[in-house]
Amino acid sequence: MHRGKGMKFVGDSRIPAERKPNIPKDYSEYPGRTEAFWPNFLLKEWLVGAVFLIGFLVVTAAHPSPLEQQADPTNASYIPLPDWYFLFLYQFLKYEFAGGNYIVLGAIVMPGLAFGALLLAPFLDKGPDRHPTKRPIATGLMLLGVIATFWLTYESVSHVDYEQRSEQYGVKEEGEVPKINTDDPGYAIYEQNCLSCHGDSLQGQGSNPSLLKTEKSVEEIKKIAREGIGNMPAGMFKGSDEELEKLAKFIASAGEGEGSGKGKSESGSGH
């Protein structure tokens, strides 16, 4: 059965009797301007995507993410650091004109203008040419954005000591934690004066050491609470002498601490 321009179909259906290969249209009249989406263009997209995906997986395996401790609202000594894709904005907010009294300008207005310019680039430069040199507005905005992002990210990372952060804030294997007697009168005083720095179980946080295994005597603990030590400033304890006595006895007897007075090195901060 023949229909149209000599085409042959199967029976009364619209299925061609002769199967022809799926050959893309001839775009030779428009060199470099267009091509068949399938399979030419899509194959190129898949290849580029596969290369970037493999490269990203290799970098991820070679340099694992530096995971830190879980967020703890009681830890006042923790200094947060954003993920890598926000480091450029984190660095930008450090500048005088983008932080402090100008935080709204640096966090909302200026990033909004920057991303808005990139979104408007195709509408500002409507030229038909694809060569970067013939699209100065779109190319210039993109280069400016990429250079600024890379530079700010580099500046932010160059001032961070990741080894030190890993020691202070890295995830540590949790062992058996001694049970703290929260009914002790000294624990209530500890909550008011020490919990924000040394944790709810005296386990220590960040650069603030654990108080569980202290070998300091009651008198030594009282002196440190009044005069400070290391990174701990003087005058942290605000209670009375009677409350200080209860606090010192609680810390000395907490966990495995014996309050023997042998004394550990006083090179760190702590009560």
Side-chain angles (χ1 to χ4, degrees):
M1 182 176 180
H2 296 273
R3 295 179 183 177
K5 298 180 180 180
M7 295 182 66
K8 185 183 294 185
F9 297 93
V10 178
D12 194 27
S13 70
R14 301 300 298 175
I15 302 176
E18 300 177 2
R19 301 191 63 178
K20 297 181 180 180
N22 184 17
I23 301 176
K25 295 181 180 180
D26 182 15
Y27 292 99
S28 58
E29 297 182 7
Y30 310 96
R33 292 192 175 186
T34 185
E35 60 181 329
F37 178 77
W38 172 265
N40 300 28
F41 179 78
L42 197 57
L43 182 60
K44 293 179 182 179
E45 292 288 302
W46 282 348
L47 289 175
V48 173
V51 170
F52 273 90
L53 178 60
I54 293 173
F56 183 77
L57 292 176
V58 170
V59 173
T60 302
H63 302 281
S65 177
L67 298 179
E68 297 180 352
Q69 300 173 5
Q70 293 183 350
D72 185 0
T74 64
N75 185 3
S77 65
Y78 177 71
I79 302 177
L81 188 67
D83 290 322
W84 62 270
Y85 43 82
F86 280 133
L87 283 175
F88 74 96
L89 184 57
Y90 175 75
Q91 176 65 25
F92 182 68
L93 294 177
K94 293 180 181 179
Y95 299 124
E96 183 179 357
F97 57 84
N101 297 330
Y102 305 98
I103 188 65
V104 175
L105 182 66
I108 299 177
V109 177
M110 299 185 74
L113 291 175
F115 285 106
L118 292 177
L119 292 174
L120 292 175
F123 302 97
L124 297 175
D125 195 344
K126 299 181 180 180
D129 297 302
R130 291 190 175 185
H131 198 279
T133 58
K134 295 183 179 181
R135 304 196 66 179
I137 298 178
T139 303
L141 290 175
M142 181 58 67
L143 287 177
L144 183 62
V146 171
I147 293 173
T149 301
F150 270 85
W151 172 252
L152 290 172
T153 301
Y154 170 77
E155 282 291 301
S156 179
V157 172
S158 63
H159 292 85
V160 178
D161 189 345
Y162 282 97
E163 292 185 1
Q164 182 182 4
R165 288 188 64 89
S166 178
E167 294 178 0
Q168 291 185 0
Y169 311 121
V171 178
K172 300 179 176 61
E173 296 183 1
E174 296 183 358
E176 184 179 353
V177 179
K179 187 176 181 180
I180 302 300
N181 182 14
T182 56
D183 295 329
D184 190 299
Y187 185 77
I189 303 172
Y190 172 85
E191 282 186 309
Q192 298 175 3
N193 295 273
C194 314
L195 187 143
S196 62
C197 295
H198 295 279
D200 56 352
S201 298
L202 289 78
Q203 75 275 16
Q205 298 179 133
S207 59
N208 302 310
S210 171
L211 304 179
L212 288 172
K213 298 181 180 180
T214 180
E215 296 181 355
K216 298 185 182 300
S217 66
V218 173
E219 293 301 321
E220 288 176 319
I221 296 174
K222 290 167 61 177
K223 181 179 179 181
I224 292 173
R226 291 294 192 190
E227 301 178 4
I229 184 174
N231 295 328
M232 176 183 168
M236 291 294 291
F237 181 76
K238 305 297 184 181
S240 63
D241 293 339
E242 183 181 355
E243 291 176 333
L244 180 59
E245 183 73 21
K246 293 180 181 179
L247 174 64
K249 289 182 178 180
F250 168 72
I251 294 176
S253 61
E256 298 179 8
E258 300 296 338
S260 60
K262 294 180 181 179
K264 286 185 178 181
S265 173
E266 298 184 1
S267 59
S269 66
H271 289 305

